[in-house]
Amino acid sequence: MAKMFDVEDRSWIAKSVVTPNADAEITFSLPPTYHPDPNSLDEAGAIALPAPATTSAERYDLASKDVLPNEQGLVDHYKAVLQLARQYGHSYNEFSHHMWLRLHFSWDGGAIGFAWYDTLDSMELVFDWLRDAADGEMWSDVEQGWEMIAVRVGERFHFRQGGFDQGGEYANVALPREELLASISTLRERMGRIIAKLAADLGEDYWNRHRYDLRTDLT
């Protein structure tokens, strides 16, 4: 996989924008429609899905902090997805994008995202690294035009995000370590409760990991 950044080059760290605040959040990325043909790009035949409360107008992106204590809207949305998947005989692979999660680290006036991390297990690996990283330790990942490098420097984490479509460096920020770790701890506990509720009501956990072997007709 081609990379934009040289992991041996740490000169970018001195250029990071230092911020006073850090917040970790996971959003449920919920397409507003379900298509009978998973390969179709034509929205004309798409079926509208119920919108959970407090989602954005453009698409049903729902932050975890906005789910509790009103999980029922999210449950109803996913029930509609699964009912349609069964109706059209779709495999998990054909409707899995309806179950995607999105991870963001934000600060006052900005945010970075982990574009290809769409299940909780991949995010947990990042959380574990951030919790355990020694001073000076580096983490990096690259996937289909997206790249992220993180380095712990004392009591801050420096993040450098790039994207081929953005033309190189997209963000270079230093976030306070303890504040970010505290936010991640709260987020992990909250997501655990939400996913436990969803799995109990829907009969399957679609969010902790990819389930390419799963079909909707399994009991």
Side-chain angles (χ1 to χ4, degrees), residues 17 41 66 83 99 120 125 137 145 167 190 211:
V17 176
L41 299 178
D66 294 326
Q83 180 179 358
M99 307 297 177
L120 194 59
L125 295 176
E137 190 173 346
R190 184 166 63 236
R211 301 290 298 277

Side-chain angles (χ1 to χ4, degrees), residues 133-155:
D135 196 1
E137 190 173 346
M138 173 180 285
W139 171 93
S140 67
D141 197 8
V142 58
E143 183 69 41
Q144 299 190 36
W146 168 88
E147 189 167 0
M148 184 80 76
I149 296 178
V151 182
R152 179 185 171 185
V153 181
E155 292 308 306

Side-chain angles (χ1 to χ4, degrees), residues 109-126:
I112 55 175
F114 293 75
W116 297 97
Y117 289 50
D118 45 42
T119 53
L120 194 59
D121 58 346
S122 58
M123 301 173 190
E124 293 282 359
L125 295 176
V126 179

Side-chain angles (χ1 to χ4, degrees), residues 71-93:
E71 305 101 321
Q72 193 57 47
L74 187 58
V75 170
D76 291 344
H77 176 91
Y78 283 130
K79 281 184 176 179
V81 169
L82 294 174
Q83 180 179 358
L84 288 166
R86 285 190 293 270
Q87 177 180 336
Y88 291 103
H90 292 162
S91 69
Y92 167 80
N93 193 31

Side-chain angles (χ1 to χ4, degrees), residues 5-6 34 50 66 83 95 131 168 191 217-218:
F5 301 146
D6 178 1
Y34 191 99
D66 294 326
Q83 180 179 358
F95 72 85
R131 181 194 62 204
M191 286 298 296
D217 55 357
L218 291 182

Side-chain angles (χ1 to χ4, degrees), residues 188-209:
R188 294 176 98 163
E189 190 275 336
R190 184 166 63 236
M191 286 298 296
R193 286 187 287 147
I194 293 172
I195 291 177
K197 167 67 173 174
L198 292 174
D201 283 11
L202 300 172
E204 190 65 55
D205 180 352
Y206 299 93
W207 302 273
N208 267 300
R209 64 183 179 89

